[in-house]
Amino acid sequence: VVGLFLLPDDASCIKRKQKEERLMQEPTNDYEAVVLALRLAITAPSEEKADECVKIAQSFGLSEFEVERAKQEAVRQIEEDA
């Protein structure tokens, strides 16, 4: 770090650490659990794994509104981590 400016390597290290911390946090409520399940579904290595994650997300029984909000949050987090 030089002054108030982050060098590119420092910025990428910070971003990677934030991503790892987010992935390691346990959900504290059903909404967060659904967001996590949807993130895993979106980034799953196979259709089979994605389907498993979607079934887990559906098992929480959130309203349609909450599920749509969770989908948007999952995509936002994935884009932020990219």
Side-chain angles (χ1 to χ4, degrees):
V1 179
V2 178
L4 295 177
F5 299 98
L6 292 177
L7 299 174
D9 290 338
D10 292 335
S12 64
C13 287
I14 291 169
K15 189 174 183 180
R16 184 175 30 249
K17 184 174 180 178
Q18 290 171 338
K19 178 182 177 182
E20 289 171 0
E21 287 173 355
R22 183 181 336 191
L23 290 174
M24 296 305 293
Q25 287 181 334
E26 286 191 35
T28 59
N29 56 50
D30 289 352
Y31 174 78
E32 289 179 3
V34 170
V35 170
L36 177 58
L38 292 172
R39 285 188 67 183
L40 293 171
I42 293 167
T43 60
S46 68
E47 195 69 31
E48 181 180 293
K49 294 288 185 188
D51 290 343
E52 287 179 39
C53 294
V54 168
K55 287 178 186 174
I56 291 169
Q58 291 171 335
S59 73
F60 287 92
L62 297 184
S63 71
E64 270 188 59
F65 174 79
E66 292 170 311
V67 170
E68 286 303 315
R69 193 175 68 139
K71 287 179 187 177
Q72 292 174 2
E73 177 63 16
V75 169
R76 187 195 67 74
Q77 289 181 12
I78 290 167
E79 289 174 348
E80 184 177 285
D81 290 343

